[in-house]
């Protein structure tokens, strides 16, 4: 079975994002913006790799509260939802709302029965668009296949899908409360209580300093 790697880099406005109301000129059929949107503040674009440092970003995304501020905050860290977010028209607020609630829905369905994701809760086709490339894999080796999500929205879906396939458990760190995955193909062993070695040792040191035996 061939190995398939993934790679996702995404542009983020260095000045962040803001809310802009729709302003369709009266009597015009060609309004500049028909929806309230999250738009760029117009700083330079920085390249980031949102999935590399946040292996449960899809879960964070699903927990955004239903507010424009939450969407702006997420966009300012990880970038806009789609390619539209790089352009002046931005991503419609409605789209943010829809995809957050859809991700939430997928996670709930998965908890009940992962099989249901296939027939009962198929993702809309815009969720999970990928490009595929052949890339070098070490000197002299065969090329490897790489999947490249088209947008942040697709990358979040890919991350969700990978964790579903791996069978990893999703839980929160007993020390810092961050979501992490354990077991399956995840980095932490099954049943792990902490997201990282750092959190595990901090927790244990605190316990010792309080004189509690583990
Ligand atoms: Zn932690």
């Amino acid at each position: 079975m061939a190995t398939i790697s993934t790679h996702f880099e995404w542009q983020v406005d260095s000045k962040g994002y803001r809310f802009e109301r729709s302003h369709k000129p009266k009597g015009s059929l060609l309004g500049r913006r028909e929806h309230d949107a999250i738009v760029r503040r117009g700083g330079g674009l920085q390249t980031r790799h949102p999935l590399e440092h946040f292996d449960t970003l899809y879960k964070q995304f699903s927990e955004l509260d239903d507010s424009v501020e939450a969407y702006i905050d997420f966009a300012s860290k990880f970038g806009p939802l789609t390619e539209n977010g790089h352009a002046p028209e931005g991503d419609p607020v409605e789209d943010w709302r829809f995809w957050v609630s859809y991700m939430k829905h997928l996670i709930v369905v998965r908890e009940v029965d992962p099989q249901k994701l296939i027939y009962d809760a198929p993702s809309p086709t815009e969720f999970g668009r990928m490009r595929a490339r052949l890339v070098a894999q070490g000197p002299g080796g065969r090329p490897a296949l790489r999947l490249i999500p088209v947008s942040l929205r697709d990358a979040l879906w890919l991350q969700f899908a990978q964790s579903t396939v791996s069978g990893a458990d999703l839980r929160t760190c007993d020390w810092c409360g961050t979501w992490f995955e354990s077991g399956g193909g995840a980095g932490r062993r099954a049943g792990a209580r902490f997201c990282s070695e750092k959190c595990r040792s901090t927790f244990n040191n605190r316990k010792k300093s309080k004189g509690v035996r583990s």
Side-chain angles (χ1 to χ4, degrees):
M1 180 65 196
T3 353
I4 300 176
S5 67
T6 61
H7 180 78
F8 179 60
E9 59 177 45
W10 195 230
Q11 308 286 315
V12 181
D13 191 305
S14 60
K15 288 190 178 163
Y17 295 77
R18 62 184 174 79
F19 173 71
E20 194 165 295
R21 272 204 188 288
S22 63
H23 50 82
K24 192 172 179 176
K26 276 208 174 100
S28 165
L29 290 174
L30 302 168
R32 221 173 78 71
R33 183 179 298 111
E34 297 183 24
H35 311 277
D36 292 349
I38 307 293
V39 301
R40 288 178 56 186
R41 284 189 182 275
L45 287 176
Q46 294 175 335
T47 299
R48 296 195 192 158
H49 300 87
L51 302 190
E52 275 175 25
H53 309 290
F54 299 90
D55 54 7
T56 55
L57 193 61
Y58 70 94
K59 177 69 177 167
Q60 275 188 49
F61 177 72
S62 78
E63 289 182 335
L64 293 181
D65 63 44
D66 182 15
S67 74
V68 166
E69 292 72 26
Y71 305 148
I72 289 175
D73 189 50
F74 194 87
S76 298
K77 284 186 200 135
F78 305 110
L81 211 47
T82 70
E83 311 90 294
N84 295 337
H86 296 321
E89 68 256 34
D91 286 313
V93 171
E94 272 316 304
D95 287 5
W96 276 92
R97 189 167 287 133
F98 174 79
W99 293 106
V100 167
S101 69
Y102 203 83
M103 182 60 87
K104 199 172 286 180
H105 171 69
L106 291 180
I107 293 171
V108 169
V109 171
R110 181 173 77 177
E111 273 164 21
V112 175
D113 178 4
Q115 290 278 335
K116 287 194 187 295
L117 290 169
I118 302 167
Y119 303 110
D120 295 359
S123 296
T125 49
E126 316 91 278
F127 218 177
R129 296 165 304 151
M130 303 286 145
R131 296 203 175 92
R133 297 253 161 80
L134 286 174
V135 294
Q137 173 184 246
R142 278 173 185 279
L145 184 57
R146 173 173 286 178
L147 290 181
I148 303 157
V150 171
S151 74
L152 180 62
R153 181 181 69 193
D154 304 298
L156 293 168
W157 181 85
L158 178 64
Q159 200 181 46
F160 165 80
Q162 284 178 311
S163 99
T164 301
V165 170
S166 80
D169 280 332
L170 193 56
R171 57 164 299 157
T172 52
C173 176
D174 278 1
W175 178 247
C176 71
T178 305
W179 286 101
F180 71 99
E181 293 184 333
S182 63
R188 313 294 297 172
R189 66 174 173 79
R193 292 169 56 202
F194 303 96
C195 74
S196 62
E197 197 46 41
K198 196 173 155 227
C199 282
R200 195 186 63 81
S201 62
T202 313
F203 179 85
N204 287 331
N205 290 342
R206 293 288 168 112
K207 231 167 47 170
K208 264 183 223 153
S209 69
K210 281 184 186 162
V212 184
R213 298 184 71 92
S214 52

